[in-house]
Amino acid sequence: MIRGWRGAPGDTERGSAVAEFMMVTALLTALTLAVLQLALALHIRNTVLDAAAEGARYAALADSGLDRGAERSRDLITAALGPAYAADVSASYTEVAGQPGVRVRVVAPLPLFGLLGMDRGLEVEGHAAVEGLADD
């Protein structure tokens, strides 16, 4: 009986390096894009949170008011991220650690895929104690 030529040992894995490379590359690309998306979402959250806190501090000044604090937050968000992220900014008086204070609330889009995502998915608040005149 004559057997067919079987080839060299290890020929059964011929071409598997290309398939492995493509699978590893796809996995690494997906992981890299996920990390970049998380970094973008955290950047937007931190920027909006900082703008809300800055607006609350500005509104809490003795010669300022709620409208000026909300406008300050809106201006900072618009300059850093764009007007779509500054569409819903509100300010109100509240209590901060038992003292009268200001709260600036910002509701913004949360990016899930690139800059696309949930319209009102991110809600942050900034607080500050109201500045007053010292009693003599």
Side-chain angles (χ1 to χ4, degrees):
M1 179 187 268
I2 299 176
R3 292 187 181 178
W5 182 69
R6 293 178 60 194
D11 273 352
T12 57
E13 294 186 20
R14 180 178 220 145
S16 66
V18 174
E20 288 175 7
F21 175 77
M22 291 306 295
M23 287 185 275
V24 169
T25 301
L27 179 65
L28 289 177
T29 301
L31 286 173
T32 301
L33 291 175
V35 168
L36 288 174
Q37 186 64 42
L38 179 63
L40 175 65
L42 286 174
H43 168 71
I44 288 175
R45 179 194 168 274
N46 290 340
T47 302
V48 171
L49 181 61
D50 184 55
E54 176 63 27
R57 285 189 292 271
Y58 192 77
L61 294 175
D63 61 344
S64 190
L66 293 178
D67 292 339
R68 291 178 70 187
E71 187 62 32
R72 174 78 173 152
S73 290
R74 206 172 288 114
D75 290 344
L76 290 170
I77 294 169
T78 300
L81 300 173
Y85 291 90
D88 189 359
V89 178
S90 62
S92 62
Y93 289 108
T94 186
E95 193 171 292
V96 177
Q99 301 296 319
V102 175
R103 176 186 75 161
V104 174
R105 181 175 168 265
V106 180
V107 179
L110 178 65
L112 297 175
F113 187 73
L115 291 176
L116 303 174
M118 296 171 26
D119 239 3
R120 299 175 55 86
L122 181 63
E123 181 178 333
V124 297
E125 291 182 356
H127 299 91
V130 172
E131 181 181 291
L133 299 175
D135 294 331
D136 291 323

